């Protein structure tokens, strides 16, 4: 069962600042996303009560905008570029290998909260295709085997 959770003081202050303003929901949800790295379900219940907004409306916003995540991020965020250049040079093979190795799908986090996997449309590194990032660190001209070695290093680091 999900229950309300008290907002951290920083977020409570932000909610109070925006509470009476038009268009406040998306601004407040951005603050929550920035604070936690995702939007926890229990915080949604709290916001629903605080803002007098139906929970369905909050989830409507959260699921419409790609910026928001409803699951906790992993320690390492892996982003596989699926832009045209990366796609044509084998990004799908890398993505599928990572999914198989970590036993998660895109948009999911491993049970141990170590890895989150995402695909992105373009990282702007087309000359380095295919590209994968881990917490923003760019790995270019990747092959499936090369990235599996890199992934192993991150697993060992913990």
């Amino acid at each position: 069962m999900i229950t309300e959770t008290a907002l951290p003081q920083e977020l409570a202050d932000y909610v109070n600042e925006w509470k009476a303003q038009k268009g406040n929901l998306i601004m407040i949800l951005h603050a929550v996303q920035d604070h936690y790295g995702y939007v926890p379900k229990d915080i949604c219940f709290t916001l629903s009560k605080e803002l007098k907004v139906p929970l369905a409306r909050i989830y409507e916003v959260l699921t419409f905008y790609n910026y928001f995540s409803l699951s906790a991020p992993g320690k390492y965020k892996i982003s596989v570029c699926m832009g045209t250049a990366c796609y044509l040079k084998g990004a799908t093979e890398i993505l599928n290998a990572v999914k198989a190795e970590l036993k998660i799908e895109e948009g999911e986090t491993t049970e141990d909260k170590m890895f989150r996997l995402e695909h992105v449309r373009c990282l702007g590194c087309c000359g380095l295709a295919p590209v994968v990032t881990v917490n923003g660190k760019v790995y270019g001209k990747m092959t499936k085997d090369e990235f599996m070695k890199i992934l192993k290093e991150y697993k060992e680091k913990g």
Side-chain angles (χ1 to χ4, degrees):
M1 179 172 180
I2 300 171
T3 58
E4 291 178 44
T5 299
L7 295 171
Q9 192 58 51
E10 168 188 338
L11 287 176
D13 292 345
Y14 194 80
V15 167
N16 287 331
E17 179 184 331
W18 279 89
K19 200 177 213 175
Q21 296 186 37
K22 199 171 193 166
N24 62 3
L25 182 57
I26 199 158
M27 297 300 295
I28 290 168
L29 291 173
H30 270 274
V32 172
Q33 174 79 31
D34 292 345
H35 182 82
Y36 291 103
Y38 73 113
V39 181
K41 291 179 176 119
D42 54 340
I43 296 296
C44 292
F45 279 90
T46 303
L47 291 176
S48 177
K49 183 178 176 186
E50 286 284 320
L51 300 173
K52 296 177 177 48
V53 173
L55 190 59
R57 175 67 180 134
I58 291 172
Y59 277 94
E60 183 179 62
V61 172
L62 291 175
T63 57
F64 180 80
Y65 293 102
N66 194 40
Y67 175 79
F68 300 114
S69 175
L70 291 168
S71 59
K75 181 176 181 182
Y76 301 110
K77 178 182 170 189
I78 301 170
S79 298
V80 180
C81 183
M82 296 300 283
T84 304
C86 291
Y87 179 82
L88 291 174
K89 291 192 174 188
T92 303
E93 185 179 12
I94 296 168
L95 180 63
N96 289 336
V98 174
K99 286 167 41 173
E101 177 67 24
L102 298 178
K103 296 174 181 55
I104 58 173
E105 294 296 317
E106 299 157 51
E108 293 180 348
T109 302
T110 56
E111 284 185 31
D112 63 4
K113 305 289 187 234
M114 286 295 293
F115 298 96
R116 178 164 179 86
L117 178 61
E118 298 180 347
H119 82 264
V120 294
R121 287 286 151 219
C122 184
L123 290 167
C125 306
C126 302
L128 298 174
V131 174
V132 180
T133 64
V134 179
N135 288 356
K137 182 175 181 181
V138 176
Y139 295 93
K141 300 189 185 272
M142 280 288 99
T143 65
K144 176 188 76 164
D145 293 337
E146 287 171 355
F147 192 72
M148 289 300 101
K149 289 176 190 171
I150 292 167
L151 183 58
K152 182 180 178 193
E153 291 172 17
Y154 280 100
K155 282 181 164 186
E156 289 170 357
K157 264 202 286 191

